[in-house]
Structure formats: C-alpha cells, structure tokens
Amino acid sequence: MLQKDVLPMKAEKADKRLSAKPVITGSEAVIRSLIAEGVDTIFGYPGGAIMPIYDALYDFQDQVHHILVRHEQGATHAAQGYARSSGKVGVAFATSGPGATNLVTGLADAYMDSTPMVCITGQVAASLLGTDAFQETDVIGITMPITKWNIQVTRQEDIPGAIAKAFYIARSGRPGPVLVDITKNAQVGECEYEYVPCTHIRSYQPVPELRLDAVKEAAALINSAKKPYLLVGHGVLLSGAEKELIALAEKAQIPMASTLLGLSAVPVDHPLYVGLLGMHGNYAPNILTGECDTVIAVGMRFDDRVTGDVSTYVANAKVIHIEIDAAEINKIIKADVALHADAKTALQALLKEVQPAKHDEWLAEFRAADKKEYDKVQHNELYPETGELKMAEVVRLISEKTKGEAVLVTDVGQHQMIASRYYRFKNPNTNITSGGMGTMGFSLPAAMGAKMGTPEKEVVAVIGDGCFQMTLQELGTIYQSKIGVKIVILNNNFLGMVRQWQQLFFDKRYSSTEMVNPDFVQIAKGFFIPGKKVTAREDISAAIDEMLATDGAYLLEVVVEKEDNVFPMIPAGTPVTTIRLE
Amino acid sequence: MQKEYTVTVYTEDRIGITNRITIIFTRRGINITSLTTAETEISGVYKFIITVMSTREKLDKVVGQIERLIEIHRAFVHEEDEVVYQELALYKISTKSLESGDIERLIRDHHARILTITADYFVIEKTGHQQELTDFIKKLEPYGLIEYSKSGRVAIVKWSRRFHEHLKELQASSEA
Ligand SMILES: Cc1ncc(C[n+]2csc(CCOP(=O)(O)OP(=O)(O)O)c2C)c(N)n1
C-alpha cells in the first residue's frame, strides 16, 4: 500500500514525470490501449472478475462510451452490428464464468460471418487458475474453435501487447472475433505503460500476394466466356471492393448475384444486378447457375445454403474463386483458377485484363426468369389487395419510405428471408444479418450496435415474434442509452420458418412452433419506448410513417398472415436448379 | 481412399496450440493415431508430426484450416514415400530371462539395445516402423514382457530443405 503512494498511479501524474512511460494498473492499460486503437464505444456487462477494468473505465468516460447491455450475448451482437455498419472493430466486455459463457453465441456468429470484434473478459487471479475457483471457466478452451485468435493474459505488462495483437488480428486479412481473457491480478498490478500498435506477426500473413499469372488466366476465361456470372459475397464489402466489382461487371456486362451477406454491395436497382442467391433467393440467379459457363465468385465461401447439392452446383462452368482465406479455396467447390488475394486488389488487377464485352442474350435469360418469379410469387406478395397483411408488403413499404437507405438489421426466419428479398438496398454495409450461424435473437442488439456505429443513418430492425423474445431485454439498453432504433416485429404467432418446413416436409405436423405471444407494444411501453400494433392493411403505411417520424426508438408490431410461406425455395441438399416457385 | 498419412505442422511456441490443431481433426471426425511434437532446430518454432488414417482430399482441407491459425507457420500432408520416419519403443523384461543366452541374440538380431539393467528387470530400446516394433513384442513375450511403451512417429521430409531455410530467414528477420 505504501508503495502505491510513491508510485504515481494516475496517468496525468505519471505523464508529468520525466520518464516517458507512465506506471499504471493493468486495468488502466486496458482502457488506454483501447483508446489508442480508436475505440469509442464498448458494449458490456460488469462482474467481480472484471471490476478493476470497469473501475478504470470510470476515469475515461469522456473518451469511451460504455453501453450497459442486459445480457452479454447482447453485447456481442451489438459489437457485431457496430462493426458491420461502421467498418470498425466492435468491442465487448464481460466478466468471468457466466459472463464469458454468455459471449459464446455472439463469438461463434462473428466467426462464421467474419466480423471484426475484440471481446475482453475478466478472469480469476492467475494463482487460482485451474482450481475451479468461484466463477472460473476455461473461456480460452471454450472459445478456441469459435475465435480467430484468443489469449489469456496473466501479467499486467503483457496487456498492451495482447490488445495490440488482438486488434491487428481481428481486423486484418479475413476479419474475425478475438478474445482476450485477463486475470484479476494482472488487472490490479502495476506496470510501465507503452502502446505499440501491432503491424506484423511472423507466422501470419493476412494479405496474400496476388499472382499475376492467375489474374491473366482468370481474365482469359472471362474474355472467352459466353455466359459469365459474378457471385458477390461478404468479402466484397469487407475489402471495400464495391466500386471495382461494379466496374468489372459493367466493362464486360456480367450479371451479378449476391449471397445473403453480400447484399448491399451492389445497389438493387443496378441494371446488372440480378438478385439473391441461395435457398430462399431469387429464381433467376439460382436457376441460371446451371447455365453459366464461367463463374467469378468474389469473397464468398459456397455455403450449403447457397449451393444446395454441391455435386451439381455450377457444374457447367469454369470457376474463378477470389478469396483472401486460402482454406476456403477448393474447400467446397473446386476452383479452375484461384485468386488468393484481397477482393479489391484482385478485382483491380482483373479489371485491367478483362476486355469490354456484351452478353445481351445471357442477360435476357435472367430477365425472362425474373418475370416468371414476379408473376408467380412477387406480385402477390408485394401488392396483395385482400387477406391478411403479408410480410413482403410491409418490407416493401419500409423500403420505399426509407428509400433503400436505411441500415436493415434482420433476425432469423421467414421475415429475414422476406426482408432480404424485398428490401431495395442502395448503399454498402446496410444489410446486417446473422448469415452463417442463423442466430435467433441477433437483430435487436445488432441494430442497437449499428445505430451506435452509424448514428447518422436510419436503422430498422425487422424481427420475428420468436426471435424478438430471445433478446427483448435489450429494450432496456435502448431506453437507457437513448438509442434511436426502429423495431418492426412481423408477428405471425408462429416460429414461421420452422412451421413452413413442417408444412412442406413433415406433413403439417406443427410440433411446438405455435407461439402464444405477449402484448409487444405493452412490453415496449414498460421500457418507455413508444409503439403501435397494426393488423389492417389500411393502417400500415401511416404507422410506418409515424415510426420513421418519431425521434428515438419506436416499436411497430405488425400482425401478418399466420401461415404464409417464403418462396422460391430450394429444399435443403437438392440441386439449386430445382428451385420451387410454389 | 483411406490410408495412413503423415501431417507435419510448424508452429510458434504457444500454450494451447496442440488443442487448436487437434480440434480441426476432431471436427472432421479424423482419428489421430500418433502425435509427436518438439522444438525444431530454430528456437521457438515447434514441429508437430501427426499420423492419421484419412483421405488425401480431406487432409488437404484440414491442412488449409490448420494454416489459418495465427500461430502456425506451415502445415503439410505427406504420402508414405515422401518421408523417412521412425518410431521408438521401450520394452521392460524380467531380468531372470537374461539367464538364458538366446535373448541377447534376439536383441542383437533386431538391432535393439539394452538401456538399463536392474535386479528385477532390464529395458530394451528399439527403433523402427510400427510393425517391426509390435512384431518384436511377440518375440519378447516368452521372456516375460512386463511393460511396453512406444513413441509417436518422428519424420524427416525428403523435400524439406526450402522450409528449413524459410524458418531460418524468419528467425533472422524477427531478430533484426
Ligand atoms: C437460437 C436459435 N434457435 C433456434 C433456431 C431455429 N430457427 C430458425 S428460424 C426459426 C423460427 C423463427 O421464428 P420467428 O422469429 O417467429 O420468425 P418467422 O420465421 O416467423 O419470421 C427457428 C426456431 C435458430 N435459428 N436459432
């Protein structure tokens, strides 16, 4: 104790010393390191093992904003939403034991969807590690398969280095979540502080070098293609390659289709954009994967929801795969030419080598198939005149009224697929959804994070009644932190997507999918959030106007058709070319 | 087709790295039949030598996923004829059996050697391929085998020169 009095504790005091390096606690080093990385927002939940870090945070409130979530899962999804909308690294805090285990779903989700995130957990003192101490959990062991990297820090002097590495790894190459577990002794111990950003790890090469011979080979394939086809994945957004992608498509007149996470990379109204790939994607882009002769897959990983039965997927095409992660190349679909590189670099190089071309007949094939889908499915969905409200018409109205410029955050289920199909995205990074994991409960906290990351944008969460009830406690966070998100619950009183499968593949045996729901508007009211429930078609437009005109958060519950189905649909594991329109 | 492969992995010295590597095999349902690890000629760099029964196709993907780990330098799959390999076995035999002369001959004929002798038992060491080592057990059995212990595989890759140089460069660059 006496010693502390002679050692300057606070940074201001220490800064004044002649010595360049202040002596501070590990906890203060955590906060200062985060600030050095440009962190201005942290989502978290305190507890015993992380209290020193929260205590240090108290002194830096003017520089970092801590958002107290209501569940640690909410902190991770909020950090994801923040990262996906702003392009920065999302940060979440949790205590040891139950706090840390509550991060697992969000970490796994961020890992699957390549979202840069740094989670910091408190841990019991190093002397207690491995003894089943109170609230001790082997969070390093648990999160090993679902983090890009994780580390346990047991000495305060290692904190700045670990955080520097964490940020470098989280954001570089193929981004991903990183977890830093810090023992309590390291949080309270003191050390000299110096922050050196990490720029290199000798066993890690985040940005591969593009091979020009491969670019030439790929260009030759594209130049000789009759039916070239661009598949747009999340990697396009992650590398900021939207312009290059569109330039390439325009130069050689190549149709572009998007994966679920690639949505918003290309404006929906772009003349060469042909729609959404995958199980509930559009008809034309799926069926024509069977026709194309050259596929240029950019920053996408051939998820089984996109490919269906892989043995027949793009079977008649040469495949060019642009991918930053070597492990994804040839993992699912064999590439004829692999461009192991950052998407932006690869597309820039390709653009130089690709010749201008026209593919009018090929594009016309898409339009013909589009018409079929429009007549059979879309028209009735978007503009019904009788019957109960449909999810699609609600999404259409939201899309029109926000001019496609909102950040659309969707949860998981029918509403997700409908929103992804019908929202007319205009700008990059405005589609935030749980793609690889399909985590119910994702969207409310993710929307919260997205609003914090891009406060200048309208953020609309479209949520199913089931999903909402998985993380609805975050309404408390939204209220406390005055986060102006618009929440639209599409309530069909069912776990709709599961019910759809039961209808189609389980003989309508609706086993545990019907939901008896609470009064959602009343719940919002309990959290001091205004709201409205709409059941009639004539009220929906005004209600959306009211929601968008409201300053701050708003909850709109829309009662929609109970047993509506999402079509087109590709039954799991079947060839995508067998896509069903009804 | 399933057959035995050797996988080598060069890693940084890092707590938990074994776990990180092995869960990648586990996820794909591949059983590791032996695993040996030790520091390489470059300080701070470790080499894992893993034998598995699997297919080339699966293992190429596993190796890709292993290389994705931050602390991994490189990982390789090797066919049987691409590596020179040995395993080491120790056999503990009752000392009584030494009284009969022919066990000495057995040891000599099989290029084994005696490591230690006590009043109760003595320990024989033999290196070779797995099959030779287990065959030797059968021969020793009549003399009173008390305990048997075998290492995992140690392997030298026939074409590894470039990688050694790569590691040396890495070390030089990180020291600079
Ligand atoms: C955490 C979690 N549990 C279960 C599932 C399986 N699941 C996928 S969609 C779905 C139904 C979602 O229902 P709801 O939120 O009402 O949306 P709807 O499909 O009706 O639009 C379920 C249960 C999941 N994806 N995530």
Side-chain angles (χ1 to χ4, degrees):
Chain A
M1 270 298 127
L2 257 181
Q3 263 239 310
K4 269 195 176 169
D5 294 332
V6 281
L7 281 172
M9 273 273 289
K10 285 280 166 270
E12 307 82 66
K13 265 192 252 166
D15 279 342
K16 287 190 195 117
R17 300 191 321 168
L18 286 176
S19 150
K21 297 180 193 172
V23 174
I24 60 175
T25 63
S27 294
E28 191 175 333
V30 170
I31 308 298
R32 284 182 171 233
S33 302
L34 294 177
I35 292 171
E37 285 293 341
V39 173
D40 53 18
T41 308
I42 296 165
F43 303 92
Y45 208 95
I50 196 170
M51 277 182 63
I53 292 178
Y54 271 86
D55 185 61
L57 193 57
Y58 196 80
D59 291 327
F60 291 88
Q61 290 173 64
D62 54 334
Q63 291 176 64
V64 264
H65 197 152
H66 181 268
I67 306 291
L68 175 62
V69 295
R70 295 301 185 263
H71 186 291
E72 290 85 351
Q73 181 184 352
T76 54
H77 295 328
Q80 289 179 273
Y82 178 92
R84 296 262 294 269
S85 73
S86 71
K88 295 192 262 181
V89 179
V91 179
F93 278 4
T95 190
S96 67
T101 55
N102 278 348
L103 300 179
V104 166
T105 304
L107 284 167
D109 194 291
Y111 189 59
M112 289 287 265
D113 287 351
S114 310
T115 307
M117 175 162 82
V118 170
C119 290
I120 294 185
T121 47
Q123 182 57 279
V124 302
S127 58
L128 293 173
L129 281 173
T131 66
D132 299 323
F134 176 66
Q135 289 192 333
E136 183 198 359
T137 295
D138 177 13
V139 59
I140 294 297
I142 290 173
T143 61
M144 223 173 245
I146 51 169
T147 47
K148 186 172 172 189
W149 187 69
N150 66 14
I151 188 169
Q152 185 168 65
V153 184
T154 54
R155 303 184 315 168
Q156 55 271 28
E157 56 269 33
D158 296 337
I159 287 174
I163 290 181
K165 242 175 126 172
F167 275 83
Y168 175 63
I169 292 168
R171 67 160 78 95
S172 60
R174 177 182 187 169
V178 166
L179 182 133
V180 182
D181 190 41
I182 307 176
T183 59
K184 203 159 176 183
N185 59 296
Q187 295 174 39
V188 296
E190 292 182 332
C191 62
E192 284 193 340
Y193 172 78
E194 184 185 17
Y195 196 76
V196 184
C198 176
T199 54
H200 170 80
I201 295 170
R202 70 173 186 174
S203 56
Y204 171 56
Q205 196 195 354
V207 187
E209 221 166 285
L210 178 64
R211 281 186 28 227
L212 288 174
D213 53 330
V215 173
K216 289 213 155 56
E217 246 182 277
L221 277 181
I222 298 171
N223 290 335
S224 64
K226 298 249 171 343
K227 297 181 171 188
Y229 194 13
L230 272 159
L231 309 184
V232 181
H234 193 193
V236 172
L237 289 161
L238 288 169
S239 81
E242 303 87 355
K243 282 203 179 69
E244 288 77 4
L245 171 84
I246 293 172
L248 178 71
E250 288 175 352
K251 187 168 185 187
Q253 291 291 299
I254 308 173
M256 299 175 270
S258 173
T259 66
L260 183 62
L261 288 191
L263 281 177
S264 86
V266 181
V268 171
D269 59 9
H270 190 283
L272 291 169
Y273 181 69
V274 296
L276 177 64
L277 292 162
M279 181 175 275
H280 289 290
N282 295 110
Y283 182 67
N286 277 304
I287 198 121
L288 291 173
T289 53
E291 289 282 311
C292 59
D293 61 6
T294 305
V295 153
I296 310 131
V298 193
M300 56 88 78
R301 59 186 181 85
F302 296 106
D303 183 86
D304 53 280
R305 282 293 197 259
V306 163
T307 63
D309 174 11
V310 288
S311 67
T312 59
Y313 191 69
V314 295
N316 303 314
K318 295 273 186 223
V319 175
I320 299 164
H321 195 180
I322 301 178
E323 172 59 55
I324 197 165
D325 181 353
E328 292 299 338
I329 295 171
N330 298 327
K331 187 178 94 175
I332 308 287
I333 298 289
K334 196 164 165 352
D336 295 285
V337 181
L339 299 187
H340 178 212
D342 174 66
K344 190 172 181 137
T345 317
L347 288 169
Q348 277 168 347
L350 212 46
L351 193 55
K352 290 198 196 110
E353 301 288 332
V354 166
Q355 302 298 327
K358 281 211 181 320
H359 300 287
D360 292 341
E361 276 172 42
W362 171 228
L363 283 161
E365 283 192 52
F366 283 89
R367 299 312 168 206
D370 276 349
K371 181 154 182 346
K372 206 163 158 187
E373 179 181 343
Y374 187 81
D375 293 345
K376 266 231 147 68
V377 183
Q378 295 190 358
H379 183 74
N380 301 334
E381 294 273 302
L382 292 167
Y383 303 98
E385 279 162 14
T386 55
E388 292 168 277
L389 274 165
K390 282 182 163 284
M391 289 186 181
E393 63 180 314
V394 181
V395 171
R396 171 181 61 83
L397 283 169
I398 295 171
S399 185
E400 286 170 7
K401 289 172 191 293
T402 57
K403 304 191 188 73
E405 287 173 351
V407 177
L408 185 79
V409 189
T410 51
D411 225 295
V412 177
Q414 292 184 317
H415 62 281
Q416 174 190 34
M417 292 300 128
I418 293 289
S420 307
R421 284 170 54 79
Y422 295 113
Y423 193 80
R424 300 188 63 82
F425 297 97
K426 200 176 266 171
N427 304 314
N429 299 315
T430 54
N431 163 56
I432 298 178
T433 197
S434 168
M437 270 273 282
T439 302
M440 283 177 73
F442 173 84
S443 66
L444 187 66
M448 222 162 73
K451 186 71 189 172
M452 296 298 299
T454 48
E456 70 287 359
K457 291 191 185 158
E458 188 76 80
V459 175
V460 181
V462 174
I463 317 184
D465 48 311
C467 292
F468 183 68
Q469 293 178 72
M470 286 215 168
T471 49
L472 70 80
Q473 67 275 30
E474 297 308 337
L475 288 176
T477 312
I478 289 169
Y479 171 63
Q480 178 172 351
S481 297
K482 302 189 177 54
I483 304 173
V485 287
K486 311 301 182 207
I487 304 153
V488 180
I489 300 178
L490 297 180
N491 182 3
N492 54 8
N493 283 97
F494 261 118
L495 297 174
M497 188 56 96
V498 182
R499 187 210 53 75
Q500 173 169 345
W501 284 53
Q502 288 172 335
Q503 179 185 340
L504 299 175
F505 311 116
F506 292 89
D507 217 7
K508 281 205 176 189
R509 287 154 56 90
Y510 292 167
S511 178
S512 289
T513 43
E514 181 148 24
M515 286 215 133
V516 175
N517 285 326
D519 181 338
F520 292 122
V521 176
Q522 201 59 32
I523 285 176
K525 207 170 156 195
F527 287 98
F528 308 101
I529 292 170
K532 181 168 258 170
K533 175 172 177 172
V534 170
T535 52
R537 180 158 292 121
E538 58 268 28
D539 299 332
I540 182 71
S541 175
I544 295 171
D545 285 339
E546 180 178 324
M547 170 179 86
L548 294 174
T550 302
D551 198 21
Y554 189 96
L555 182 141
L556 176 64
E557 175 189 353
V558 187
V559 177
V560 294
E561 190 177 343
K562 256 190 110 155
E563 297 185 39
D564 201 2
N565 287 332
V566 190
F567 281 109
M569 171 170 199
I570 302 159
T574 65
V576 291
T577 45
T578 61
I579 184 165
R580 291 167 54 169
L581 281 169
E582 54 198 344
Chain B
M1 200 193 57
Q2 285 236 349
K3 58 179 189 183
E4 186 168 64
Y5 285 93
T6 306
V7 175
T8 54
V9 185
Y10 290 86
T11 80
E12 290 286 341
D13 177 9
R14 172 80 203 287
I15 286 179
I17 200 76
T18 311
N19 202 356
R20 277 169 217 272
I21 294 169
T22 55
I23 50 185
I24 293 172
F25 289 93
T26 314
R27 276 185 68 193
R28 286 187 181 262
I30 300 170
N31 198 7
I32 290 175
T33 47
S34 90
L35 187 153
T36 311
T37 178
E39 193 162 1
T40 62
E41 66 276 27
I42 311 295
S43 90
V45 174
Y46 279 67
K47 180 175 176 179
F48 283 67
I49 301 159
I50 300 165
T51 58
V52 289
M53 287 294 291
S54 189
T55 63
R56 179 78 202 208
E57 203 198 344
K58 247 191 188 184
L59 289 175
D60 283 338
K61 291 173 185 177
V62 163
V63 155
Q65 285 173 309
I66 292 174
E67 284 193 334
R68 177 152 75 185
L69 300 173
I70 305 293
E71 283 96 358
I72 302 294
H73 288 286
R74 289 299 303 275
F76 305 93
V77 187
H78 313 282
E79 304 279 340
E80 170 97 9
D81 62 1
E82 289 174 334
V83 285
V84 176
Y85 64 89
Q86 289 287 282
E87 287 162 14
L88 179 145
L90 301 178
Y91 308 80
K92 187 157 120 189
I93 313 280
S94 162
T95 304
K96 281 202 217 97
S97 64
L98 274 179
E99 286 158 20
S100 85
D102 48 353
I103 189 164
E104 280 183 52
R105 230 207 19 251
L106 196 63
I107 291 167
R108 231 178 298 121
D109 287 353
H110 284 82
H111 303 289
R113 64 190 183 117
I114 294 173
L115 291 183
T116 183
I117 304 181
T118 73
D120 295 343
Y121 63 84
F122 65 106
V123 175
I124 306 171
E125 174 213 285
K126 175 173 166 51
T127 56
H129 287 192
Q130 157 129 2
Q131 195 59 45
E132 298 170 56
L133 302 180
T134 44
D135 284 351
F136 196 46
I137 298 179
K138 289 194 198 85
K139 304 221 163 107
L140 290 172
E141 205 77 66
Y143 300 94
L145 180 73
I146 302 168
E147 192 182 335
Y148 165 72
S149 199
K150 187 183 82 65
S151 74
R153 177 173 294 186
V154 176
I156 287 282
V157 183
K158 292 178 183 170
W159 45 259
S160 63
R161 176 191 298 272
R162 273 191 28 227
F163 193 69
H164 172 76
E165 271 152 21
H166 168 72
L167 282 176
K168 277 203 307 202
E169 277 167 27
L170 270 182
Q171 193 183 32
S173 74
S174 55
E175 277 164 3

